[in-house]
Amino acid sequence: MTAKLIEGRKIAEEMYADLEREVSKLEVRAKVKPKLVVMLVGQDPASLSYIKQKQKACAKTGIEWDQFDYDESVTTEELVGKIEELNADPLVHGILVQLPLPKHISVPLVIRAIDPKKDVDGFTAYNLGKMFTSADFEDLAPCTPLGVIKMLEYYDINMKGKEAVVVGHSNIVGKPLSTMLLNRNATVTTCHIDTKDLAFHTKRADILCVGVGKAGLISADMVADGAVVIDIGVNRTDEGKLVGDCDFASVSEKASYITPVPGGAGPMTVACLMLNVVKAAKRLSGYKE
Ligand code: GUN
């Protein structure tokens, strides 16, 4: 079987076209310009690249962008102080603290400081708690898992009753994605670094989602014939090429659908962030359709 490509980039472009119209409507009818503020600590090359993509998406959709850069030596208190200022600013609708943060910073304290209504990353306990309740209560959901669900929906890939195997249990990707698949009545297995026999689980998957950050982790012999494979990994090879966690050439011969890297989950993450910013701006401004 040669897999059909899940074209995340194409879906993201369609979302941008819709969002651009929504942003114009908000401006004309409510005099509100959605605004995203990003806080960056240090100069991690991957973070810089992600931020550049987010800034470009803002420009494309008409969302205002502001960025605050901090030296590695910044304290948790300084970051929390800035977040509190942004929480109180009525012109700001989304606050995003780019991760990872240096070891001396308390990530939970920083995330907790963000007003859940402006938490466009969907990382606060409030928004994660809503997501935990049911699909109906998913609100500002984490962008990467939301992007995965949107890709599956776009291609009419039914989740109900399917064996979904998620490899990776991070707070940003694996855990919330497992919850969102469960909300859609998939039978979900979450694998992680201490999983004893990874291949045993991955071979059973109707829908296999992998977000670990380890090139070549999933080879074709670990994938069932006809599986839907969502590769969320982002890795750079020694030659500087971007690849996912799956061996694309061989896995795509076995899968029924597969996401490319780049051009799959990555663009969808950024588009879902824009979706969350517009959603937050509408609610904060009391805009009614
Ligand atoms: N670092 C890697 N992915 C993300 C993300 O989705 N949001 C934030 N804030 N930081 C990240």
Side-chain angles (χ1 to χ4, degrees):
M1 175 174 283
T2 303
K4 192 169 157 46
L5 261 195
I6 296 183
E7 296 181 85
R9 186 166 285 140
K10 190 184 97 180
I11 309 170
E13 290 302 331
E14 291 180 16
M15 288 171 68
Y16 290 142
D18 287 344
L19 285 168
E20 193 187 359
R21 280 191 290 274
E22 291 297 305
V23 170
S24 306
K25 261 200 302 196
L26 254 173
E27 262 192 291
V28 172
R29 296 188 190 164
K31 303 280 176 286
V32 171
K33 186 149 172 85
K35 180 174 178 177
L36 171 64
V37 176
V38 169
M39 295 165 69
L40 172 68
V41 180
Q43 295 286 307
D44 174 58
S47 290
L48 286 170
S49 155
Y50 290 144
I51 285 185
K52 210 157 83 186
Q53 291 165 33
K54 292 169 189 180
Q55 188 172 9
K56 255 168 114 175
C58 278
K60 214 180 264 190
T61 45
I63 293 171
E64 206 172 317
W65 168 274
D66 205 355
Q67 183 177 335
F68 293 91
D69 290 348
Y70 295 87
D71 193 80
E72 293 265 355
S73 63
V74 71
T75 63
T76 300
E77 292 69 30
E78 282 173 279
L79 292 176
V80 167
K82 184 67 191 178
I83 292 168
E84 285 170 351
E85 191 186 300
L86 297 169
N87 284 341
D89 185 342
L91 297 180
V92 173
H93 307 100
I95 302 168
L96 183 153
V97 181
Q98 187 65 32
L99 300 178
L101 291 170
K103 286 211 167 20
H104 67 276
I105 304 278
S106 165
V107 176
L109 284 182
V110 168
I111 301 292
R112 197 171 76 180
I114 300 171
D115 179 345
K117 290 195 167 57
K118 299 189 179 187
D119 168 31
V120 287
D121 253 334
F123 290 170
T124 59
Y126 179 83
N127 285 319
L128 289 172
K130 286 191 79 165
M131 189 194 67
F132 193 77
T133 316
S134 77
D136 289 342
F137 284 92
E138 288 169 8
D139 188 358
L140 293 175
C143 304
T144 302
L146 180 59
V148 172
I149 298 291
K150 285 199 177 293
M151 285 193 284
L152 294 172
E153 286 174 349
Y154 189 93
Y155 288 90
D156 282 327
I157 296 165
N158 190 19
M159 289 162 260
K160 190 172 166 179
K162 296 289 173 63
E163 292 289 335
V165 175
V166 177
V167 184
H169 74 323
S170 69
N171 287 341
I172 296 183
V173 178
K175 278 192 230 171
L177 178 55
S178 296
T179 307
M180 291 175 86
L181 288 163
L182 183 58
N183 282 346
R184 287 152 183 86
N185 275 9
T187 301
V188 182
T189 304
T190 311
C191 301
H192 47 74
I193 185 98
D194 288 321
T195 295
K196 278 196 197 121
D197 186 350
L198 181 61
F200 167 79
H201 296 285
T202 58
K203 275 193 275 197
R204 295 173 32 250
D206 299 313
I207 301 171
L208 176 61
C209 304
V210 190
V212 170
K214 213 168 160 187
L217 178 69
I218 305 294
S219 47
D221 58 319
M222 297 169 75
V223 177
D225 270 322
V228 174
V229 178
I230 307 288
D231 194 343
I232 309 160
V234 185
N235 310 288
R236 213 170 266 284
T237 64
D238 292 341
E239 297 80 43
K241 201 176 145 214
L242 269 190
V243 296
D245 289 349
C246 301
D247 175 30
F248 184 87
S250 63
V251 171
S252 61
E253 287 300 317
K254 240 176 149 182
S256 58
Y257 286 89
I258 191 167
T259 57
V261 178
M268 285 302 288
T269 296
V270 182
C272 288
L273 174 66
M274 301 301 119
L275 191 71
N276 279 349
V277 174
V278 173
K279 199 174 191 182
K282 281 183 181 170
R283 186 164 34 214
L284 285 160
S285 63
Y287 177 80
K288 295 273 181 299
E289 301 286 345

Short mmCIF file of all heavy atoms in Angstrom, two decimals, residues 54 96-99 121 123, ligand 1:
data_model
loop_
_atom_site.label_atom_id
_atom_site.label_comp_id
_atom_site.label_asym_id
_atom_site.label_seq_id
_atom_site.Cartn_x
_atom_site.Cartn_y
_atom_site.Cartn_z
N LYS A 54 5.28 31.45 13.68
CA LYS A 54 4.08 32.01 14.34
C LYS A 54 3.89 33.47 13.92
O LYS A 54 2.77 33.91 13.65
CB LYS A 54 4.20 31.88 15.86
CG LYS A 54 4.15 30.44 16.35
CD LYS A 54 4.55 30.27 17.81
CE LYS A 54 4.70 28.79 18.15
NZ LYS A 54 5.08 28.52 19.53
N LEU A 96 1.74 33.84 24.99
CA LEU A 96 2.42 32.57 24.76
C LEU A 96 3.86 32.67 25.26
O LEU A 96 4.59 33.57 24.84
CB LEU A 96 2.40 32.27 23.25
CG LEU A 96 2.99 30.96 22.76
CD1 LEU A 96 2.32 30.54 21.46
CD2 LEU A 96 4.49 31.04 22.54
N VAL A 97 4.21 31.80 26.18
CA VAL A 97 5.60 31.73 26.66
C VAL A 97 6.25 30.56 25.94
O VAL A 97 5.85 29.41 26.13
CB VAL A 97 5.66 31.53 28.19
CG1 VAL A 97 7.12 31.49 28.65
CG2 VAL A 97 4.89 32.63 28.92
N GLN A 98 7.21 30.86 25.09
CA GLN A 98 7.82 29.80 24.29
C GLN A 98 8.62 28.86 25.20
O GLN A 98 9.43 29.30 26.02
CB GLN A 98 8.73 30.42 23.22
CG GLN A 98 9.29 29.43 22.22
CD GLN A 98 8.22 28.77 21.35
OE1 GLN A 98 7.19 29.36 21.03
NE2 GLN A 98 8.45 27.53 20.97
N LEU A 99 8.39 27.58 25.04
CA LEU A 99 9.12 26.55 25.80
C LEU A 99 10.17 25.92 24.88
O LEU A 99 9.98 25.95 23.67
CB LEU A 99 8.14 25.48 26.29
CG LEU A 99 7.01 25.98 27.21
CD1 LEU A 99 6.10 24.82 27.58
CD2 LEU A 99 7.54 26.69 28.44
N ASP A 121 -2.07 28.76 24.09
CA ASP A 121 -1.36 27.49 23.98
C ASP A 121 -2.19 26.36 24.60
O ASP A 121 -1.89 25.19 24.37
CB ASP A 121 -0.03 27.58 24.75
CG ASP A 121 1.18 27.67 23.84
OD1 ASP A 121 1.10 27.19 22.70
OD2 ASP A 121 2.20 28.22 24.30
N PHE A 123 -2.25 25.57 27.81
CA PHE A 123 -1.39 24.86 28.76
C PHE A 123 -1.82 25.01 30.23
O PHE A 123 -1.30 24.33 31.10
CB PHE A 123 0.07 25.37 28.67
CG PHE A 123 0.79 24.99 27.40
CD1 PHE A 123 2.03 25.55 27.11
CD2 PHE A 123 0.25 24.07 26.51
CE1 PHE A 123 2.72 25.21 25.95
CE2 PHE A 123 0.92 23.72 25.35
CZ PHE A 123 2.16 24.28 25.07
N1 GUN B 1 7.76 24.69 22.37
C1 GUN B 1 7.55 23.68 21.50
N2 GUN B 1 6.25 23.64 21.14
C2 GUN B 1 5.65 24.66 21.78
C3 GUN B 1 4.29 25.15 21.81
O1 GUN B 1 3.37 24.62 21.18
N3 GUN B 1 4.07 26.22 22.60
C4 GUN B 1 5.06 26.80 23.33
N4 GUN B 1 4.74 27.84 24.10
N5 GUN B 1 6.30 26.38 23.34
C5 GUN B 1 6.59 25.32 22.56
#
